[in-house]
Amino acid sequence: MPEVKIEPSWKNVLADEFHQDYFTDVTTFVRAQYTTKKVYPPPKAIFRAFELCPFDEVRVVIIGQDPYHGQGEAHGLSFSVPEGVKIPPSLRNIFKELAADIPEFEIPSSGNLTKWAEQGVLLLNAILTVNKDHAASHQQAGWESFTDELIHSVSEKKENIVFILWGSFAQTKKKFIDTTKHLVLESVHPSPLSAHRGFFGCKHFSKTNVYLREKNLQEIDWKLTKNLFD
């Protein structure tokens, strides 16, 4: 794996992690995987979520499990896909809930969530790499230790963050979050297998903005399509 530079504010917050044995192990493992297998996302996109959303700008954290494992789908942001890539089923359901929850939201033709990241939504996968066509193939390689510490650091060093936990995997991360000073929103996963059991109707997007507004923080513009007046 080529050396990847992490955005400076995250590098400062997580500096100690890069010297831990587990991080050396995950680096060695991932480098070997990129050398011998097809791995997603592209190496330069592994830390894209951090590049687009510096530590000081984080207002919302949406936690996914690991990157999409299909050709061209993963680009470093949880649930997001690049322009021109077919919208995955879970993201399609996210858009359906948004359309029901946010009156001005129109379902877009693109599944690229970069606009959210640029507004302070950290689209974080707990595992940052995956082998082609093999979901969770880099599970237990060490990424979880890194992202668990990252979640803990955000919780410890910041206030009034909205953590959105969809599904049982994401909800295991609640133990790293101080619920006395942050808002945690939980539901089943937006996957077609579970969305009808509580994801639809959760209103997490409007609840996020109500909370941010109450804390005198800027709300998230969830819209992904432009209108004539933008």
Side-chain angles (χ1 to χ4, degrees):
M1 180 180 68
E3 182 179 353
V4 180
K5 294 182 179 180
I6 296 180
E7 192 277 333
S9 66
W10 286 107
K11 189 172 185 178
N12 290 336
V13 169
L14 298 168
D16 290 345
E17 298 308 300
F18 303 121
H19 302 290
Q20 301 296 321
D21 289 343
Y22 83 81
F23 198 83
T24 300
D25 291 343
V26 74
T27 300
T28 301
F29 170 81
V30 172
R31 182 184 295 116
Q33 295 297 297
Y34 273 99
T35 301
T36 59
K37 297 180 174 67
K38 184 67 175 178
V39 180
Y40 300 130
K44 290 183 179 179
I46 292 174
F47 297 111
R48 178 169 286 160
F50 312 131
E51 294 166 9
L52 294 174
C53 185
F55 179 80
D56 294 340
E57 297 177 17
V58 175
R59 287 180 285 151
V60 179
V61 180
I62 300 179
I63 299 175
Q65 185 162 359
D66 64 343
Y68 294 122
H69 53 80
Q71 175 71 37
E73 293 178 326
H75 67 145
L77 306 176
S78 64
F79 294 101
S80 180
V81 292
E83 301 286 343
V85 173
K86 183 179 179 181
I87 299 174
S90 291
L91 183 55
R92 196 182 315 276
N93 284 338
I94 290 170
F95 288 161
K96 288 179 181 177
E97 173 58 21
L98 267 161
D101 186 25
I102 304 294
E104 63 270 24
F105 184 85
E106 297 179 8
I107 294 178
S109 58
S110 168
N112 190 333
L113 306 181
T114 295
K115 181 182 175 183
W116 295 358
E118 292 174 340
Q119 295 180 76
V121 180
L122 181 65
L123 296 166
L124 177 68
N125 279 317
I127 303 162
L128 298 183
T129 53
V130 68
N131 288 344
K132 180 182 179 182
D133 298 333
H134 288 88
S137 49
H138 291 191
Q139 193 170 2
Q140 304 304 324
W143 280 131
E144 294 96 330
S145 297
F146 177 69
T147 53
D148 286 352
E149 180 57 35
L150 185 153
I151 293 165
H152 174 71
S153 295
V154 171
S155 174
E156 185 178 64
K157 299 176 186 296
K158 297 179 74 69
E159 295 182 353
N160 305 324
I161 302 298
V162 182
F163 289 88
I164 297 179
L165 311 180
W166 294 326
S168 58
F169 177 86
Q171 288 160 13
T172 65
K173 307 303 179 181
K174 187 176 181 178
K175 61 180 176 286
F176 301 110
I177 303 167
D178 183 346
T179 58
T180 67
K181 64 174 184 172
H182 303 293
L183 175 65
V184 177
L185 298 174
E186 300 176 78
S187 81
V188 299
H189 196 275
S191 161
L193 298 175
S194 56
H196 291 280
R197 293 190 280 108
F199 177 75
F200 291 134
C202 69
K203 298 187 180 298
H204 283 178
F205 305 99
S206 61
K207 288 177 180 178
T208 293
N209 279 347
V210 167
Y211 178 82
L212 293 174
R213 187 164 61 246
E214 289 174 348
K215 301 299 182 181
N216 296 313
L217 298 170
Q218 186 175 353
E219 299 175 34
I220 304 299
D221 178 6
W222 297 107
K223 298 194 305 295
L224 294 167
T225 54
K226 294 183 177 181
N227 62 42
L228 294 175
F229 302 102
D230 283 343

